[in-house]
Amino acid sequence: MTVEVNESALSIAAQRQMLLRPALEWIARRAEPLVITLGAILVGLALFSLFILAVGKSPADLYRFMYAGGFGSWFSVQNSLSRASPLLLTALCVALPARLGLVIIGGEGAVVLGGVAAAAIALPIVGLLPPIIALALMAVAAMVMGGIWIGLAGFLRHYRGVNETISSLLLAYIAIALMNQFVEGPLRDPASLNKPSTKPLPHDYMLGNIPGMDVHWGLVIGIIACIVSWILLEMTSYGFAARIAGGNVRAAQIQGLPVGRLIAGFTAIAGSFAGLAGMIEVAAVQGSANASLAAGYGYTGILVAFLARHNPLAIIPVAILLGGIDASGGLIQRRMGLPDATVLVLQGTLFIVILFCETFYGRFKIFNPDLWKRNA
């Protein structure tokens, strides 16, 4: 009788374990990027604290002012959200090609040329077309320009074997030079003396704020872009094909997948998002195309994408976090006497640690169900 009861109890325990195992495996696989990323952030903050101590300042005060400047008040939150808007789009410029195994770091070029294209197309149509149509045409021009610019890096990668990391970075420098040439030359507003820029947009043709908030509609556009990108990657055959090609290009070619078109297409889509970020900067923030377009959003977007593990949905909270850190630079400068670029040093430290922690993926047994002992 006792033996029968024990066997029955063991059978129930085994059934429960079989039912729980799929859930535990799902949690374990998805916990790895979260745990490692959070650990990398903590390590990066600790290393940056040593730097702050070395210059004779208090890390506790720094992080207190950083929180206050980014999220300590409703004004700070709105400022952080505004700064996060372009980061959402420039991070997608990195995240989408990453699914194909490509490392694009030249989104800054698409941002500045997208802004210039938007300003150029606005010159002849402002006053002739309704604002909503003019803004739509500006967005299309910026996306086409950005798509062509980053798509060129993808084209060179597949058809000529040029490293996309180097080519996209060099194209960014070329783009900034072209922006300066156009803004200081044929597109320059004669009334802009000290700071060359294009003719400013009338107020009616600016991208307004979200009702009840001092945050422009670029935030909503960026969030929608992240959601659409997630759907593209996770719920379409194109996204599945991109993941296959990113895992093994040779296997994808054997299966008949159009690897070349995937690379060119995804890099063009990625560049179009960065170009759209440039249009939003012109239509919602600057009011014209000028040197302020090269604000470094394309480079900060690289950090956002890596922190989010190239997940379009995870990009949303990470971009808001980095936007808050960026927004706190002025308060840190005023209260602690540190340079405004202190937050850039922090971002660089975090990026280095994140890259270093890439080596830890797949090394922890707890996150790899394939290495768990299976009961007979």
Side-chain angles (χ1 to χ4, degrees), residues 11 40 63 70 76 94 117 121 141 147 181 184 248 276 285 292 314 319 321 360 366:
S11 176
Y63 296 130
S76 300
V94 180
I121 200 71
Q181 175 65 26
E184 297 177 9
N248 191 320
L276 182 59
V285 181
S292 296
L321 174 63
F360 291 113
I366 190 173

Side-chain angles (χ1 to χ4, degrees), residues 100 154 158-159 238 256-269:
L100 283 155
H158 181 72
Y159 294 100
Y238 297 104
L257 294 177
V259 176
R261 283 182 294 180
L262 285 172
I263 292 176
F266 269 82
T267 51
I269 294 172

Side-chain angles (χ1 to χ4, degrees), residues 133-298:
I133 296 179
L135 287 170
L137 291 176
M138 290 169 62
V140 170
M143 295 179 72
V144 170
M145 188 69 250
I148 291 174
W149 203 251
I150 301 299
L152 179 60
F155 177 87
L156 292 173
R157 172 67 178 87
H158 181 72
Y159 294 100
R160 304 303 301 172
V162 180
N163 183 280
E164 75 283 354
T165 305
I166 297 175
S167 64
S168 63
L169 180 61
L170 295 179
L171 284 170
Y173 289 119
I174 296 173
I176 293 173
L178 289 174
M179 176 198 67
N180 292 330
Q181 175 65 26
F182 282 111
V183 169
E184 297 177 9
L187 298 180
R188 180 172 181 172
D189 179 16
S192 61
L193 301 177
N194 296 329
K195 187 177 183 179
S197 65
T198 60
K199 187 176 180 179
L201 293 174
H203 179 73
D204 293 343
Y205 286 81
M206 292 287 289
L207 194 64
N209 291 337
I210 302 171
M213 300 178 66
D214 191 19
V215 181
H216 56 74
W217 281 101
L219 176 67
V220 176
I221 295 172
I223 292 175
I224 292 174
C226 289
I227 295 173
V228 171
S229 298
W230 182 83
I231 293 173
L232 172 65
L233 291 174
E234 303 296 337
M235 302 183 67
T236 67
S237 59
Y238 297 104
F240 178 74
R243 294 199 300 273
I244 296 297
N248 191 320
V249 174
R250 182 59 180 163
Q253 291 173 331
I254 292 175
Q255 293 297 321
L257 294 177
V259 176
R261 283 182 294 180
L262 285 172
I263 292 176
F266 269 82
T267 51
I269 294 172
S272 69
F273 284 135
L276 182 59
M279 174 268 174
I280 292 173
E281 281 296 294
V282 169
V285 181
Q286 306 293 340
S288 63
N290 51 59
S292 296
L293 281 173
Y297 288 123

Side-chain angles (χ1 to χ4, degrees), residues 289-308:
N290 51 59
S292 296
L293 281 173
Y297 288 123
Y299 301 119
T300 306
I302 302 170
L303 176 58
V304 173
F306 273 82
L307 281 172

Side-chain angles (χ1 to χ4, degrees), residues 6-29:
N6 290 340
E7 289 179 351
S8 177
L10 289 173
S11 176
I12 294 174
Q15 291 177 2
R16 288 178 177 175
Q17 185 177 5
M18 290 178 62
L19 292 174
L20 286 174
R21 188 178 181 88
L24 292 175
E25 290 183 357
W26 186 89
I27 293 173
R29 294 187 189 280

